[in-house]
Amino acid sequence: MRFLHVIEGPDEGATYALPDHEPQLIGRSTEALPITDHEVSRRHAELTPDGGTWLLRDLDSKNGTLVNGNRIESRTRLERGDRIACGSTVLLFDESPADAIPIRATEPEAARLEVIRRKGPLETPAAEQEPGLNGRDRLALLMRATELAVSNLEMNQYLEAFMDLLLDAFAAEHAVLMIFSSGGSDASTIMARRRDDSNLGPIGLNRALIRLVQEPPFSTLLATEHQLGEDAGETRWLMGSPLNTGDRLCGVACLSYSTASPESMPCQEDIELLHALTAQAGLATERGELMQELLTRGRLAAMGETVAAISHGIKNILQGLRGGADAVQLALERKDLELADRGWPIVARNLERIQALTMNMLGFARQRALERERMPVEPVILEAMEMLEALTSRSQIDIKFEPEDGVPPIPIDTASILQILINLISNAADSSPKQSTVTLLLGYDSGSSRVRIDVLDAGSGIDPTVRERLFEPFVTTKGQRGTGLGLVVSRRIAERHGGTLECISTGPNGTLMRLELPADDPTEEPDDTHGPRGISESDLDLEFGAPEH
């Protein structure tokens, strides 16, 4: 089903459903899409369904009809997201969830309103005790409201559950919540709930009730004349209450009753209960906004830290590139191959660093889908050693690989595991002194059905304060040469495989990092067959350099 949402104009916040097989008129005197904007003609424009799409035409209106800023002269096919302007009213043509309820604002004449009871900071004299919910039921409702208010529900989920609670507590036909934007009185969210889900007609949101509830914040019971649909002219009860927290009004809750019979009229206790429930909803709404603000600030702080760390790393790489490029340029000018031989390795080394930084940033920022293939791990380890041969040769580091017999093939994403191994081996090489040995051990624990890869360097160990935060972003032992992302990305990849990456030990005899991966894939069925996967775009022209972390 398609919907029109009023995003600008006197009826801002209203939503109208467009039935799939019925033409609809926009105007001030139409029942389907009534607009209170005086710049809109009585019969302004027509919407016509056409095989799953909608066509719009202007009905010779005084001010014309615009779609996305362009005045239409003939039938125009609407696309999702189009903005329809009629007078000072702008409607958004869009889809909504199947259970969305159209809401439209109503502005009844003052003579049609009668304030029956109020409850607020300036208490009205209490009426004599009237029949209503008993004390146990009221307490149960307050307990439910409290549990909802302190729950971990998303804000929209909380508001929907709170409206269900209101409909359970009071014999109203429907409930509407209007949530105001932080620091203002403009509605940021309008939600509705019906007792009867089969009724798809629009819900009227009485503006006079909203104003009475807001200034000052009082819970109010009104008798008013209904103005929508077949029930127009019928008197009914309306009850509204503020979502108030101290000096701030977070929103308004409105309840509508089907008739204004004396038997259905809410009593003073009902108003007091509604006042207490919406006070809790106000606290919950403010709490949700504060949590969202804290999350936003945290993300901004993390973004700033990321930019600072990455900028620092890139600056160092660019300095190296500049030095190498200057040496190569001077060698070309002098036609000095010996000087070029000294300058080019500097350029190549820094190109590897910036490539590795980019790979780790991509791994940190997003997760691509794993493409697992059951295969031996040993060839992947040998490939990582081969790719890092230039780095280990420059550092005069020897790599010793000691695999056990009987290690079975396991389900892995080859490119991802290769990235982990490159990170671990390059870290070990950077931590080891010249003319030392980095040892790789490959084993299998049949009891836990896990393959184990140990990487042991010959360094002096990791400082205890750094070890505690080793797998946090931007924590590095390389100083200006690292960005602190390699181990973070590596652990994330291991965990996505169902494995672990840990620092087992560290000290003056070196640091032992252990990668464990499951030999069995829990997503596989016993009868699955294992064939080679196809080549993806990520397999083409992909090279790994020595990663920065």
Side-chain angles (χ1 to χ4, degrees):
M1 180 180 287
R2 295 289 184 172
F3 287 78
L4 283 180
H5 308 281
V6 182
I7 58 176
E8 292 182 24
D11 303 296
E12 182 176 343
T15 299
Y16 306 105
L18 299 178
D20 293 333
H21 306 291
E22 299 178 16
Q24 303 291 305
L25 293 179
I26 301 175
R28 288 188 292 110
S29 64
T30 65
E31 182 177 317
L33 303 175
I35 303 293
T36 60
D37 183 359
H38 292 293
E39 296 181 28
V40 173
S41 300
R42 298 178 66 82
R43 291 168 53 87
H44 195 102
E46 181 186 48
L47 285 157
T48 307
D50 180 23
T53 62
W54 283 84
L55 302 175
L56 174 70
R57 71 182 179 99
D58 183 71
L59 299 177
D60 297 325
S61 63
K62 179 179 179 181
N63 295 316
T65 303
L66 288 75
V67 175
N68 299 325
N70 300 313
R71 186 165 184 150
I72 61 173
E73 303 296 340
S74 58
R75 287 186 183 272
T76 301
R77 186 179 301 275
L78 295 176
E79 302 291 341
R80 181 177 180 181
D82 282 348
R83 294 175 177 238
I84 303 169
C86 303
S88 61
T89 295
V90 178
L91 305 103
L92 178 67
F93 181 74
D94 202 357
E95 293 178 347
S96 287
D99 59 351
I101 298 175
I103 303 170
R104 91 164 185 84
T106 61
E107 190 70 65
E109 298 175 6
R112 296 179 177 177
L113 295 176
E114 180 185 357
V115 178
I116 308 297
R117 295 187 176 90
R118 303 197 76 184
K119 158 75 179 177
L122 303 176
E123 295 286 352
T124 53
E128 61 183 48
Q129 196 72 8
E130 299 172 87
L133 292 171
N134 61 41
R136 184 183 296 274
D137 291 338
R138 290 164 60 87
L139 179 60
L141 286 166
L142 287 170
M143 290 295 294
R144 280 179 59 190
T146 302
E147 291 171 359
L148 277 177
V150 299
S151 67
N152 293 323
L153 293 174
E154 295 285 341
M155 183 51 61
N156 281 351
Q157 293 176 323
Y158 165 77
L159 294 175
E160 289 173 356
F162 181 71
M163 284 191 291
D164 288 336
L165 184 147
L166 292 181
L167 290 177
D168 288 345
F170 307 98
E173 179 186 5
H174 64 251
V176 177
L177 280 180
M178 176 184 289
I179 305 300
F180 300 139
S181 57
S182 180
S185 59
D186 295 331
S188 60
T189 302
I190 302 179
M191 304 176 70
R193 264 291 199 272
R194 285 190 181 278
R195 184 175 297 279
D196 180 10
D197 293 336
S198 63
N199 188 345
L200 299 179
I203 287 178
L205 187 59
N206 191 296
R207 289 186 169 182
L209 177 62
I210 299 296
R211 286 194 293 269
L212 285 170
V213 169
Q214 284 182 267
E215 302 173 359
F218 276 87
S219 294
T220 304
L221 173 65
L222 291 178
T224 185
E225 188 174 298
H226 190 51
Q227 293 183 296
L228 289 176
E230 298 176 356
D231 298 330
E234 181 179 301
T235 302
R236 58 176 57 195
W237 306 119
L238 297 178
M239 190 159 57
S241 188
L243 277 64
N244 204 37
T245 58
D247 296 333
R248 192 196 155 200
L249 184 66
C250 295
V252 172
C254 299
L255 298 174
S256 175
Y257 290 75
S258 56
T259 63
S261 65
E263 296 80 15
S264 66
M265 183 175 71
C267 64
Q268 185 67 26
E269 288 183 350
D270 290 333
I271 299 177
E272 292 173 356
L273 176 60
L274 178 62
H275 198 79
L277 293 175
T278 54
Q280 290 196 358
L283 290 172
T285 303
E286 186 175 55
R287 171 177 169 267
E289 291 175 352
L290 290 174
M291 290 298 296
Q292 186 61 42
E293 185 179 349
L294 286 174
L295 286 173
T296 301
R297 289 182 179 181
R299 291 191 186 103
L300 290 174
M303 187 184 301
E305 185 180 354
T306 303
V307 170
I310 299 306
S311 298
H312 194 68
I314 291 176
K315 181 194 73 173
N316 294 331
I317 294 172
L318 291 176
Q319 287 176 344
L321 282 172
R322 167 66 75 176
D326 288 344
V328 172
Q329 183 178 0
L330 183 60
L332 291 174
E333 291 174 354
R334 296 181 178 179
K335 300 185 184 326
D336 186 344
L337 291 179
E338 183 179 349
L339 180 58
D341 284 340
R342 294 200 301 270
W344 176 249
I346 300 174
V347 175
R349 186 162 58 250
N350 283 281
L351 286 174
E352 289 176 357
R353 291 177 65 192
I354 202 165
Q355 181 190 27
L357 173 62
T358 303
M359 292 296 297
N360 279 330
M361 280 300 299
L362 286 173
F364 181 70
R366 63 178 174 85
Q367 294 182 355
R368 68 173 180 87
L370 294 179
E371 298 179 358
R372 299 192 190 192
E373 177 185 0
R374 186 173 289 274
M375 64 174 298
V377 181
E378 185 172 339
V380 185
I381 297 175
L382 293 174
E383 184 179 355
M385 292 169 57
E386 182 181 354
M387 294 175 68
L388 292 174
E389 185 176 354
L391 170 67
T392 54
S393 296
R394 285 197 306 266
S395 304
Q396 300 179 33
I397 300 294
D398 182 39
I399 300 182
K400 182 171 66 173
F401 178 38
E402 299 178 357
E404 289 182 3
D405 294 331
V407 178
I410 62 174
I412 58 173
D413 180 281
T414 307
S416 298
I417 299 303
L418 185 62
Q419 187 174 0
I420 297 179
L421 293 170
I422 289 174
N423 275 325
L424 295 179
I425 297 171
S426 64
N427 289 348
D430 287 340
S431 302
S432 302
K434 289 186 177 181
Q435 299 180 345
S436 62
T437 301
V438 170
T439 304
L440 303 182
L441 304 173
L442 173 63
Y444 173 63
D445 184 351
S446 58
S448 61
S449 189
R450 293 171 81 83
V451 169
R452 179 183 65 256
I453 304 171
D454 288 344
V455 181
L456 176 63
D457 65 38
S460 57
I462 302 172
D463 185 276
T465 58
V466 176
R467 182 181 178 181
E468 292 177 359
R469 305 176 57 225
L470 196 58
F471 293 95
E472 294 180 15
F474 313 115
V475 175
T476 179
T477 61
K478 294 186 178 182
Q480 294 184 353
R481 295 184 297 114
T483 58
L485 290 176
L487 287 179
V488 179
V489 172
S490 297
R491 172 175 271 187
R492 182 180 293 176
I493 293 171
E495 290 175 346
R496 293 184 67 205
H497 277 78
T500 58
L501 177 61
E502 302 291 344
C503 176
I504 300 301
S505 63
T506 185
N509 296 323
T511 297
L512 174 62
M513 301 294 295
R514 175 169 294 170
L515 170 64
E516 289 191 352
L517 297 168
D520 300 318
D521 185 352
T523 63
E524 291 180 348
E525 296 295 333
D527 297 333
D528 283 350
T529 57
H530 305 289
R533 63 178 175 85
I535 297 177
S536 67
E537 293 182 5
S538 61
D539 295 320
L540 304 176
D541 300 325
L542 180 63
E543 296 181 359
F544 289 90
E548 295 295 323
H549 80 287

